[in-house]
C-alpha cells in the first residue's frame, strides 16, 4: 500500500512538472549584448501577474544567438520560439500577433548618438537635422530603424551583427550610431574604452513602440501577457521595473533629454492600431 502511494505521488509530481508552460524567448544578439535583462524581467512579471497558480511556467532563452529577422521567421512558423520583443511595424503586425503595450513606454523613440571621440568637434557644429544628414548613420540590416532613417533622408550603413556595428564605427564605415536611452549606458560601459563616446547635444526622436510578439495563432499567450502587463501597470510593478532596470526619473530629465537639440522624424512604419491615446502606456 505504501509502495503504491509512493508511486502515485511520483507520477503526480511528474504530471505537475509537465503541466508547466515553457516560454522560449529570443537569446541575445551576440556575446556582448546585455540589453535583454529588462525585457526578460517584464516577461516574468507579466506571467506572474496573470498566473492562476504559483510556478505554472518556465522561461527559457533560446540556445542560439540570432538576428531579428531569423527570430521573427521562427516565431511566424511557431517553431522554437514563443515570444520576441521588437519595435513594431505594419509588416511585423501583419505576420505576428502583437501585445500592444509599449514595453519602454515610448522612450525607445528617443535616440542619442554614439560617435567616435575624435569627431566631437564636427558634431558640435550640427544645429539642424539637414546638417546631421551629411553624416552617415549605422544600424542593423533588419532593424526597422534602418527604413525609418532612410525614409527621412539619412545615409545608413548596415551589418548583420550587433558587435559589428561598433567595429564599423571605429573603422570609420559610418559616423554615428543612434541608440535608445535605455540601451546606451551599458553599451558605453562595454565599448567606451575603445574610443567611442556619447554625443552630448543631439537627440533623434520618432514614435516607435516596442512590444512582445507571439506566433499569429497563439492568442492564449498573447492574452495572458496583455492581462499580466495591464495588472502590473495597475499595481505599479510595471513602473517599478521600468525605473529600476532603465533609469530614474531624475536621470531621464537631467541627463538624457534636458537641453538637447531634439530632431523629430517621421515613422512611416508606425501601425494605425498603435494605442497613442492610452495615456497610461506612455512616459510623460
Amino acid at each position: 500500500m505504501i509502495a503504491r502511494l509512493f508511486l502515485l505521488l511520483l507520477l503526480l509530481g511528474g504530471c505537475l512538472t509537465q503541466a508547466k508552460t515553457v516560454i522560449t524567448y529570443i537569446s541575445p544578439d551576440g556575446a556582448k549584448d546585455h540589453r535583454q535583462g529588462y525585457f526578460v524581467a517584464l516577461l516574468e512579471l507579466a506571467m506572474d501577474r496573470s498566473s492562476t497558480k504559483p510556478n505554472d511556467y518556465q522561461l527559457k532563452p533560446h540556445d542560439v544567438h540570432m538576428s531579428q529577422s531569423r527570430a521573427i521567421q521562427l516565431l511566424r512558423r511557431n517553431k522554437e520560439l514563443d515570444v520576441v520583443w521588437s519595435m513594431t511595424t505594419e509588416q511585423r503586425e501583419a505576420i505576428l500577433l502583437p501585445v500592444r503595450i509599449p514595453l519602454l513606454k515610448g522612450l525607445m523613440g528617443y535616440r542619442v548618438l554614439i560617435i567616435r571621440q575624435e569627431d566631437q568637434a564636427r558634431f558640435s557644429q550640427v544645429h539642424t537635422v539637414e546638417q546631421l544628414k551629411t553624416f552617415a548613420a549605422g544600424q542593423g540590416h533588419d532593424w526597422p530603424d534602418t527604413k525609418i532613417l532612410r525614409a527621412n533622408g539619412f545615409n545608413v550603413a548596415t551589418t548583420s551583427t550587433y558587435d559589428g556595428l561598433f567595429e564599423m564605427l571605429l573603422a570609420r564605415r559610418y559616423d554615428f550610431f543612434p541608440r535608445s536611452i535605455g540601451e546606451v549606458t551599458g553599451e558605453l560601459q562595454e565599448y567606451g574604452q575603445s574610443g567611442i563616446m556619447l554625443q552630448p547635444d543631439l537627440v533623434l526622436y520618432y514614435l516607435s513602440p516596442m512590444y512582445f510578439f507571439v506566433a499569429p495563432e497563439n492568442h492564449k499567450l498573447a492574452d495572458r501577457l496583455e492581462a499580466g502587463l495591464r495588472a502590473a501597470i495597475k499595481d505599479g510593478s510595471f513602473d517599478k521595473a521600468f525605473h529600476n532596470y532603465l533609469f530614474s526619473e531624475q536621470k531621464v530629465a537631467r541627463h538624457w533629454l534636458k537641453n538637447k537639440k531634439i530632431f523629430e522624424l517621421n515613422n512611416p512604419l508606425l501601425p494605425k492600431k498603435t494605442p497613442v491615446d492610452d495615456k497610461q502606456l506612455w512616459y510623460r
Side-chain angles (χ1 to χ4, degrees):
M1 182 69 180
I2 295 177
R4 289 181 179 177
L5 180 60
F6 182 69
L7 180 60
L8 180 62
L9 289 173
L10 284 178
L11 291 173
L12 181 59
C15 290
L16 290 174
T17 300
Q18 292 174 3
K20 279 194 174 186
T21 300
V22 178
I23 306 296
T24 303
Y25 59 86
I26 187 172
S27 62
D29 188 5
K32 294 183 178 181
D33 183 3
H34 306 299
R35 297 171 294 168
Q36 71 172 29
Y38 169 68
F39 301 104
V40 176
L42 278 191
L43 182 60
E44 184 175 11
L45 183 63
M47 295 297 291
D48 281 342
R49 291 298 184 273
S50 58
S51 177
T52 57
K53 57 184 178 180
N55 303 315
D56 68 337
Y57 70 93
Q58 176 187 349
L59 300 183
K60 186 179 94 172
H62 196 281
D63 56 5
V64 176
H65 299 311
M66 65 183 71
S67 65
Q68 282 189 23
S69 55
R70 182 186 174 196
I72 287 168
Q73 289 308 312
L74 286 176
L75 190 62
R76 180 184 186 182
R77 299 197 300 270
N78 203 16
K79 293 179 61 178
E80 302 180 37
L81 282 171
D82 297 296
V83 62
V84 302
W85 43 87
S86 169
M87 206 173 101
T88 193
T89 67
E90 286 277 12
Q91 191 265 343
R92 289 182 180 182
E93 292 197 17
I95 63 174
L96 300 175
L97 187 57
V99 179
R100 292 189 182 91
I101 295 180
L103 302 177
L104 290 166
K105 302 186 72 170
L107 284 177
M108 182 76 178
Y110 289 94
R111 304 303 176 100
V112 293
L113 312 183
I114 292 178
I115 64 172
R116 293 179 293 272
Q117 291 174 0
E118 66 264 26
D119 286 346
Q120 169 52 17
R122 296 172 60 211
F123 277 90
S124 68
Q125 301 303 310
V126 173
H127 302 290
T128 69
V129 69
E130 293 304 320
Q131 290 175 323
L132 186 59
K133 289 177 185 178
T134 64
F135 296 82
Q139 292 287 280
H141 80 284
D142 55 355
W143 296 359
D145 310 86
T146 298
K147 292 182 178 180
I148 294 170
L149 290 169
R150 285 175 173 164
N152 283 272
F154 285 89
N155 177 27
V156 184
T158 64
T159 183
S160 60
T161 67
Y162 171 73
D163 293 341
L165 283 161
F166 295 92
E167 296 166 3
M168 288 174 63
L169 178 61
L170 291 168
R172 308 190 71 83
R173 298 276 300 279
Y174 68 91
D175 302 304
F176 68 96
F177 188 13
R179 308 304 295 137
S180 82
I181 58 182
E183 297 169 317
V184 69
T185 300
E187 292 173 340
L188 290 173
Q189 290 173 349
E190 184 71 48
Y191 295 95
Q193 300 302 315
S194 60
I196 65 172
M197 64 173 286
L198 176 67
Q199 204 288 329
D201 305 312
L202 307 175
V203 176
L204 295 175
Y205 172 74
Y206 41 92
L207 187 60
S208 52
M210 177 174 276
Y211 299 147
F212 286 134
F213 286 88
V214 302
E217 65 273 23
N218 198 352
H219 291 273
K220 182 178 180 181
L221 180 57
D223 291 345
R224 177 167 178 176
L225 291 177
E226 180 169 359
L229 288 174
R230 290 196 178 276
I233 291 170
K234 185 175 181 179
D235 69 19
S237 54
F238 185 106
D239 276 352
K240 183 177 180 180
F242 175 77
H243 292 296
N244 285 347
Y245 275 86
L246 295 179
F247 27 57
S248 66
E249 291 271 1
Q250 185 180 33
K251 194 172 184 182
V252 169
R254 295 182 59 187
H255 185 61
W256 295 118
L257 300 178
K258 190 175 181 181
N259 298 325
K260 299 290 194 294
K261 297 184 184 75
I262 300 179
F263 300 136
E264 186 166 353
L265 307 181
N266 176 51
N267 180 0
L269 309 181
L270 189 69
K272 294 181 176 61
K273 292 184 178 180
T274 303
V276 293
D277 295 326
D278 190 344
K279 303 301 183 185
Q280 68 176 338
L281 300 182
W282 306 92
Y283 182 82
R284 291 172 293 181

